[in-house]
Amino acid sequence: MMSLEFAIELIKSTLPRDCVLTDPSATAPFETDGLTAYRRRPPVVALPRDTNDVRQVLRICHETGIPVVTRGAGTGLSGGALPHEKGVLLVLSKMNRILSIDEEGCTATVQPGVTNLSISQAVADMGLYYAPDPSSQIACSIGGNVAENAGGVHCLKYGLTLHNVLGLKVQTIEGDELVLGGDGYESSGVELIPLFVGSEGMLGVVTEITVKLLPTPPCKEVLLGAFNELESAGECVAAIIARGIVPAGLEMMDALAIQAAEDYVHAGYPRDASTILICEVDGTAEQVRSDADLIGELMVAHGADNIRSATEPEERDRLWQGRKAAFPAVGRISPDYYCMDGTIPRRYLSKVLTSIATLAEKHGLRVANVFHAGDGNLHPLILYDASDDEQLDRAERLGVEILELCVSVGGTVTGEHGVGVEKLDPMCSQFSAPELEQFFRLKEVFDASGLMNPGKAIPTLAHCSEVKGMHVHGGELPFPELDRF
Amino acid sequence: MTRSFDDAQRLIDSVNYAVAHTKQLSILGQGTKAHYARSTQGDALQTRDHVGVIEYRPDELTISVRAGTPLTEIKNVLNEHDQMLACDPPEFLGGGTIGGAVACGLSGPGRPWYGNLRDAVLGIEIVNGLGECLRFGGSVMKNVAGFDVSRLMVGSLGIFGLILSVNLRVHPKPELERTIKIDLQWDDAWRIHGDAISKPSAVSATCYWSGSLYLRLSGNRASVDETRMSYPDGAEFENELWKSVRDHDHPFFHRREKLRRTWLGRGAHPELTDARNQLVEWAGAQVWSHSASTDSFAADANDASEPFDRRSANPETESKYVKRLRRAFDPHLLFNSDLRL
């Protein structure tokens, strides 16, 4: 490895002055992403203007052996864009142009720094939109969405980022440009798009993305039902799916989340309910009418009272308001909160929530639960005070135990936020040593020198043996009372 | 009830034997897609006895099946709960296994509306070329832990490893399906194709052949009727058409030789030169033809055209990254070593 200083000089001599930041006051805003518990000051921030600039920076990193971490808008929640202390932070925010829109083919080709929401805004007049809508959609960039395979509240019906990407251009650290997919549905040869979507900047830098656009549904209806028992709400969700309805959105909140949201935005949610279910259906007027009627009946049959429904945009927004404000609302009742992202098969919901409550009590912390009920993605919010190191430590331990719980019922440690630096420990519970080694061999295919976002997303075997030393006692796995399969 | 037998240990042992004795393996299911891609190198590794539904959860929209399970059996099991494989993979010669369907990654006529098999795969269990049994993904819709190996396996023709089992997302069956036939010129059909992807409607498959456009309408009765009214010139036609197009039983596919497919960008407007020898699916995005040469209707540089028969693929076209990927899974090149991606 040549010196970092030498690499920085090379970057400075290649990119314009305003595209390279080294002054600590200028690099400070880049020391963390959406996971603010982790901070690291990058020695240099490169802001490429175009694909050629990206290629130049990658070439310099490759030749000098300096690591490179790619960053979009920095809204990620798992520390995937946490800078490397001896590497380049490659920030793609200047590459923020929509390159083309094909109204007839319903596709848009964009640079990675374009924000998620701006794609939908740009095509709204054509009656089209881009479906994945992570909660940070106003700020997060599409390049980051691709890196994390971002989701949102409409995944059950419309899929994740992967299901909505048709083509990618990727720059490898060896200097190749890979053109994957295109503007059609299939292409010749092996389909590499799934490997790059969700690869957390470990394999290459995505410089161009072609996304699929969908026709805006002519009708939508939102229903909200309040339940006294969590189990009934869970059974109601199963019944809706079993009756052949795939709702556009299906969200659940528990009592603590409902109360926090109600105190914050006064959306009119029933404060005494143990659980609320919010369900959105969309489509043609006839389809929406019949789906909404059936969902209303199923809510009643499962003991819901206080059922409200809305078809007009303002009314619908009002029903969604409390759910959408849930995170900041919880932020008001606690100095800090730590957002988890496990996914579980839905049928284990009440078992998992009961176990989370037990674990929270054990660690002396409160947890509010917000749940993408349709696709099983659970966001427990652990309330703690970061100014107290001991509380942060407890919150992190509780978080790891919650994710291990998700794995133990056949789920996953991350549904949509990514592994980053945050979930390296629980990854050791989800994958075996040969599986982790297979991941590293895959990384080597595109990044033999291990310079792309090193230390993220996939834990090393050494890391896992340390973790297992901490968590496994007497050969027993965590949660022996739960089924394993 | 479907037949159920766990033959995984024998399959893993066979791979380990091949590793130890530097033998090559050609993975074989029912052999129904032999005209598409079939390895002839090495000993046959037969998956047909590794069968059965491991777990089916209609209320979670998921099913987990062993690789040798026949597609027809899976479809029957799902049908009992009014569910289906959204991607509708072809059953050539009336058969095929789910492992073969995943390895080939072919999609039926509903591709633009229901997605492909890759979109439906949630998790996979494979044996790599080191004889290691590995699991990736899971049985939940949202899962971003680790690289997405399960979806990488779709369409990889078995060159990365042997598929043992697959977890799939399933879809509720629409309440109603109707087919209509409209006789019209290609340019007019093309305009209807555009509407089928850019406007909300009940259209769930298209096929243009020999001067007629066929549309499948799916959904509840009201939405199917609503879309039906938009095409007053359409005549009712048999729903069986879609199965025949999917499974290549349709008269167009009776000639097997020189069968080519071309993928076009959504919204492309190709000129059809020979309406009887070209069949257009996927709202214009996939064109089948009987032609040895590169197609005259490839509209721009993004369009890809290739013979349906993958056995003739040129080894030179495999990129260095695909070669390395292959080695990353299968360092001794045990699996289907004569097939190229």
Side-chain angles (χ1 to χ4, degrees):
Chain A
M1 191 199 285
M2 289 186 234
S3 79
L4 176 63
E5 288 68 31
F6 180 61
I8 293 174
E9 284 315 308
L10 284 176
I11 293 170
K12 279 183 170 169
S13 67
T14 309
L15 265 58
R17 184 192 293 257
D18 63 336
C19 294
V20 187
L21 312 175
T22 49
D23 187 273
S25 64
T27 58
F30 298 98
E31 66 181 9
T32 183
D33 62 8
L35 183 70
T36 52
Y38 293 81
R39 289 171 190 274
R40 216 180 262 157
R41 187 70 61 86
V44 56
V45 174
L47 294 146
R49 298 157 300 171
D50 53 26
T51 299
N52 189 47
D53 283 354
V54 171
R55 292 170 66 88
Q56 296 296 341
V57 173
L58 289 179
R59 181 182 54 78
I60 292 166
C61 290
H62 190 230
E63 285 170 4
T64 57
I66 300 295
V68 56
V69 175
T70 313
R71 174 183 162 119
T75 57
L77 292 170
S78 57
L82 181 72
H84 192 283
E85 69 270 21
K86 293 190 175 118
V88 176
L89 188 71
L90 185 68
V91 179
L92 300 181
S93 52
K94 280 186 194 283
M95 293 175 66
N96 61 355
R97 284 188 305 127
I98 294 178
L99 299 172
S100 63
I101 293 168
D102 176 356
E103 188 175 353
E104 280 173 343
C106 301
T107 64
T109 299
V110 302
Q111 292 186 319
V114 167
T115 61
N116 173 297
L117 187 61
S118 63
I119 300 176
S120 290
Q121 286 170 340
V123 298
D125 288 349
M126 304 168 191
L128 300 171
Y129 76 114
Y130 175 64
D133 58 344
S135 57
S136 56
Q137 70 176 153
I138 190 168
C140 65
S141 66
I142 190 74
N145 289 178
V146 169
E148 303 293 327
N149 194 11
V153 298
H154 295 105
C155 292
L156 181 67
K157 184 165 183 181
Y158 296 109
L160 302 158
T161 300
L162 173 81
H163 302 101
N164 293 278
V165 166
L166 296 169
L168 293 178
K169 279 189 184 160
V170 181
Q171 312 304 321
T172 70
I173 193 142
E174 285 179 37
D176 294 306
E177 181 176 77
L178 306 180
V179 180
L180 310 176
D183 57 356
Y185 295 101
E186 308 277 335
S187 51
S188 298
V190 69
E191 178 63 274
L192 292 179
I193 288 177
L195 199 51
F196 281 90
V197 175
S199 62
E200 304 197 22
M202 301 272 286
L203 304 178
V205 179
V206 173
T207 50
E208 212 175 286
I209 300 131
T210 300
V211 297
K212 181 166 84 177
L213 304 170
L214 296 178
T216 310
C219 290
K220 290 182 183 178
E221 181 159 348
V222 178
L223 291 100
L224 184 146
F227 296 79
N228 291 324
E229 301 287 338
L230 171 75
E231 285 82 358
S232 333
E235 283 161 15
C236 184
V237 170
I240 291 170
I241 305 285
R243 289 296 291 273
I245 300 174
V246 180
L250 192 52
E251 297 287 309
M252 220 187 249
M253 290 165 71
D254 75 356
L256 185 53
I258 295 167
Q259 285 152 23
E262 202 41 37
D263 287 343
Y264 183 35
V265 293
H266 312 291
Y269 289 1
R271 284 174 179 278
D272 51 347
S274 92
T275 311
I276 58 166
L277 195 61
I278 305 169
C279 185
E280 181 175 299
V281 285
D282 65 14
T284 59
E286 288 73 14
Q287 191 90 50
V288 166
R289 186 69 267 130
S290 68
D291 287 354
D293 286 349
L294 182 54
I295 290 166
E297 286 166 24
L298 291 170
M299 283 182 168
V300 171
H302 287 85
D305 49 24
N306 247 323
I307 296 172
R308 293 161 60 191
S309 76
T311 50
E312 295 308 310
E314 305 83 54
E315 290 174 68
R316 292 197 315 253
D317 288 349
R318 196 168 142 74
L319 290 186
W320 270 118
Q321 197 180 19
R323 167 61 187 91
K324 291 198 168 162
F327 286 23
V330 167
R332 288 173 75 242
I333 61 169
S334 169
D336 296 279
Y337 68 86
Y338 185 30
C339 175
M340 298 283 92
D341 174 43
T343 305
I344 55 169
R346 261 194 324 265
R347 61 189 179 279
Y348 294 112
L349 177 63
S350 70
K351 187 173 180 175
V352 167
L353 290 189
T354 309
S355 299
I356 289 177
T358 311
L359 290 171
E361 200 175 325
K362 183 181 91 180
H363 289 282
L365 294 168
R366 288 189 299 165
V367 176
N369 286 292
V370 178
F371 187 49
H372 299 305
D375 46 42
N377 190 199
L378 190 61
H379 291 312
L381 305 172
I382 302 172
L383 314 191
Y384 74 105
D385 182 352
S387 65
D388 176 353
D389 283 349
E390 191 269 335
Q391 268 202 42
L392 171 62
D393 188 46
R394 268 191 285 148
E396 288 194 325
R397 268 183 290 145
L398 172 56
V400 167
E401 289 179 25
I402 288 174
L403 296 183
E404 285 172 348
L405 175 68
C406 294
V407 173
S408 73
V409 296
T412 176
V413 300
T414 174
E416 56 183 356
H417 295 170
V419 175
V421 289
E422 183 203 17
K423 301 180 196 84
L424 288 170
D425 289 6
M427 281 288 282
C428 303
S429 322
Q430 189 167 336
F431 293 100
S432 68
E435 288 159 356
L436 294 171
E437 285 181 298
Q438 184 67 71
F439 284 145
F440 279 111
R441 285 199 300 276
L442 278 179
K443 178 165 170 59
E444 278 170 24
V445 167
F446 299 95
D447 177 28
S449 42
L451 296 175
M452 304 292 304
N453 212 8
K456 309 276 179 66
I458 315 289
T460 61
L461 297 187
H463 180 97
C464 286
S465 49
E466 252 176 62
V467 171
K468 284 185 177 144
M470 285 187 317
H471 291 293
V472 182
H473 297 292
E476 271 185 26
L477 289 161
F479 315 104
E481 73 279 11
L482 294 171
D483 298 335
R484 284 179 173 275
F485 51 86
Chain B
M1 201 53 211
T2 61
R3 193 162 66 94
S4 184
F5 183 74
D6 186 344
D7 198 26
Q9 195 54 54
R10 184 191 64 84
L11 291 165
I12 295 166
D13 291 346
S14 304
V15 175
N16 280 311
Y17 181 85
V19 174
H21 297 85
T22 57
K23 284 191 173 295
Q24 292 185 316
L25 295 168
S26 105
I27 304 171
L28 184 64
Q30 292 183 355
T32 58
K33 288 180 279 290
H35 61 294
Y36 172 65
R38 158 92 184 269
S39 169
T40 52
Q41 208 81 7
D43 301 341
L45 187 58
Q46 181 54 259
T47 65
R48 251 188 305 199
D49 292 328
H50 188 53
V51 292
V53 174
I54 301 166
E55 187 177 38
Y56 173 34
R57 300 291 314 194
D59 58 343
E60 304 255 5
L61 297 177
T62 58
I63 191 166
S64 171
V65 288
R66 296 196 180 96
T69 314
L71 281 171
T72 38
E73 281 192 32
I74 296 170
K75 289 176 182 180
N76 288 341
V77 168
L78 296 176
N79 199 33
E80 284 169 25
H81 290 268
D82 288 324
Q83 294 186 344
M84 63 179 192
L85 290 178
C87 48
D88 204 15
E91 293 173 51
F92 296 144
L93 309 170
T97 64
I98 186 67
V102 171
C104 292
L106 300 170
S107 302
R111 168 74 182 86
W113 298 273
Y114 288 125
N116 61 0
L117 202 44
R118 185 195 86 187
D119 293 331
V121 167
L122 300 173
I124 208 157
E125 184 185 17
I126 64 166
V127 184
N128 67 7
L130 297 169
E132 295 169 330
C133 184
L134 311 173
R135 286 168 196 229
F136 300 99
S139 57
V140 289
M141 305 290 163
K142 277 184 177 171
N143 186 351
V144 294
F147 299 130
D148 196 348
V149 176
S150 48
R151 292 190 175 104
L152 178 68
M153 300 298 290
V154 180
S156 66
L157 304 182
I159 66 166
F160 298 143
L162 170 71
I163 299 166
L164 283 183
S165 66
V166 194
N167 300 337
L168 295 165
R169 187 229 158 111
V170 299
H171 203 274
K173 272 177 73 176
E175 185 185 311
L176 185 69
E177 271 188 359
R178 278 172 87 167
T179 302
I180 53 173
K181 176 188 179 201
I182 315 166
D183 294 329
L184 76 188
Q185 296 296 309
W186 166 239
D187 284 352
D188 297 323
W190 178 80
R191 256 184 290 282
I192 294 177
H193 280 154
D195 289 349
I197 55 167
S198 65
K199 298 200 169 75
S201 76
V203 174
S204 71
T206 71
C207 171
Y208 184 80
W209 181 63
S210 200
S212 298
L213 174 70
Y214 302 85
L215 299 176
R216 182 174 69 193
L217 313 181
S218 309
N220 67 12
R221 183 166 297 280
S223 66
V224 168
D225 288 347
E226 189 186 25
T227 304
R228 177 73 182 86
M229 307 238 282
S230 322
Y231 301 105
D233 299 338
E236 297 294 316
F237 202 80
E238 302 92 43
N239 285 335
E240 277 296 296
L241 169 81
W242 305 105
K243 190 171 176 309
S244 76
V245 171
R246 182 195 74 187
D247 297 344
H248 292 191
D249 283 337
H250 185 276
F252 169 82
F253 292 99
H254 287 173
R255 259 176 68 202
R256 277 274 169 87
E257 81 279 15
K258 295 179 184 169
L259 184 62
R260 249 189 124 73
R261 49 181 181 164
T262 301
W263 296 295
L264 297 112
R266 291 163 33 125
H269 190 173
E271 275 193 30
L272 285 199
T273 48
D274 180 0
R276 257 200 95 70
N277 282 311
Q278 291 168 328
L279 183 145
V280 187
E281 278 189 288
W282 301 0
Q286 175 162 273
V287 182
W288 294 93
S289 60
H290 296 292
S291 149
S293 61
T294 310
D295 290 284
S296 52
F297 50 79
D300 65 48
N302 285 332
D303 302 335
S305 176
E306 64 177 33
F308 180 63
D309 185 347
R310 296 289 294 272
R311 294 169 302 176
S312 56
N314 181 354
E316 301 307 315
T317 58
E318 201 171 78
S319 79
K320 72 174 175 191
Y321 291 105
V322 173
K323 286 195 175 83
R324 287 187 205 164
L325 262 181
R326 194 169 189 155
R327 293 268 181 191
F329 282 100
D330 180 15
H332 312 298
L333 301 184
L334 300 181
F335 298 114
N336 293 357
S337 59
D338 52 335
L339 293 182
R340 296 282 175 273
L341 280 171

